[in-house]
Amino acid sequence: MSTVASSRRAELGSQARKKAIDTAPVILVCSQNAELYLLLAHILRSEGFEARLAASDDDVADARTSAELSAVILDCAGWPSDVAPLCVLLKSAGLPVGALIGGDMRAEHLQLIKAGLEGITRPLSPSKLLAFLHGIKPLPQAGTLPNFAAAAEIVFGPHAVVVSGKRVALAPMEMRILGFLLERQGQISTREQHIEAVWRDPHAVESRTVDVHIGRLRKAFAGLRNLGIRTVYGAGYALEYHDH
């Protein structure tokens, strides 16, 4: 590969990673519990999302039409109004809604299910929260993918990449990691380098977390012949892209 081509791919990878960071999906967290919001915001950031707080019905009404929103997490316990009509309002805006439901809310649970909520138990169930987040579908505007990596035949969008004409849906964090790997194509990247470059709060991320996201990327690219991630044992990972 020529020096010019290598520099161009590095530039495109940097642009792609920046775009993926700038377009991180926003999750509206409806809660009046500050500690819970901070916990959720931390989890969301670690998964590649951004959190936005809504502490009243007016906050929700103002935010629900925002094009940036991908989904809503509603803390039903302690919410100052009836949550069922609020859920209907959010669902009418086309937003997936996950409800944090306490054990003392059994009477309201059925009503909330009818309103279209996905239940997330409280105290917080991380597995159910992550299942909800990873099940969020791409926004409609993600269909048009800006050409940030044409030289490598990789086109980045907010929720998917197109590799040699094949569209592959990716979670936000996998999108960032791919952009970082593309920027360093042909070079081995350690887990520590991934953490520093990709995560906003690197001090809260373990090396094992990088392995998990790399595994998800490999699974997403399993059907592609020209793109792969090589493991260099004891060192890290490298992106491999073949023209043929």
Side-chain angles (χ1 to χ4, degrees):
M1 184 184 301
S2 69
T3 303
V4 173
S6 299
S7 299
R8 178 58 178 160
R9 288 194 175 187
E11 178 186 352
L12 292 169
S14 179
Q15 290 176 326
R17 184 159 57 91
K18 182 178 185 299
K19 179 65 176 179
I21 292 173
D22 290 344
T23 59
V26 177
I27 308 297
L28 186 68
V29 179
C30 306
S31 179
Q32 293 199 330
N33 185 320
E35 292 183 358
L36 177 64
Y37 170 73
L38 292 174
L39 173 61
L40 288 171
H42 173 74
I43 295 173
L44 290 169
R45 281 195 301 271
S46 69
E47 292 296 315
F49 296 87
E50 284 296 327
R52 181 178 299 171
L53 177 64
S56 68
D57 287 354
D58 289 340
D59 288 347
V60 176
D62 290 341
R64 71 184 179 90
T65 57
S66 171
E68 298 174 336
L69 289 186
S70 292
V72 178
I73 297 175
L74 175 60
D75 179 21
C76 297
W79 191 254
S81 65
D82 187 357
V83 294
L86 187 63
C87 293
V88 173
L89 181 69
L90 292 168
K91 295 293 286 186
S92 68
L95 292 168
V97 181
L100 290 169
I101 302 170
D104 57 345
M105 296 186 64
R106 294 177 182 176
E108 295 91 345
H109 197 173
L110 182 59
Q111 185 181 12
L112 294 172
I113 292 175
K114 289 181 178 179
L117 273 76
E118 297 185 38
I120 304 170
T121 57
R122 186 177 181 189
L124 185 63
S125 169
S127 61
K128 289 188 176 181
L129 174 61
L130 293 179
F132 170 72
L133 294 175
H134 295 159
I136 295 173
K137 296 180 180 180
L139 297 175
Q141 59 265 33
T144 302
L145 302 176
N147 190 354
F148 288 125
E153 298 183 28
I154 301 176
V155 181
F156 278 75
H159 302 278
V161 295
V162 175
V163 183
S164 299
K166 182 176 180 180
R167 185 179 186 277
V168 181
L170 293 177
M173 188 55 69
E174 278 79 70
M175 192 83 70
R176 296 185 192 183
I177 291 175
L178 177 60
F180 177 64
L181 286 170
L182 180 62
E183 181 181 351
R184 294 175 56 82
Q185 185 172 356
Q187 301 180 49
I188 299 170
S189 302
T190 67
R191 293 172 177 83
E192 291 74 19
Q193 286 174 325
H194 277 88
I195 292 171
E196 288 293 331
V198 176
W199 273 267
R200 291 184 174 86
D201 186 9
H203 301 292
V205 182
E206 299 180 353
S207 296
R208 172 61 181 162
T209 304
V210 177
D211 298 337
V212 171
H213 287 289
I214 291 290
R216 292 174 182 170
L217 265 178
R218 282 186 170 137
K219 185 176 180 180
F221 293 147
L224 301 176
R225 295 182 179 179
N226 55 350
L227 189 69
I229 300 174
R230 177 168 57 98
T231 298
V232 182
Y233 291 98
Y237 301 101
L239 184 71
E240 293 184 328
Y241 183 86
H242 307 285
D243 294 332
H244 302 288

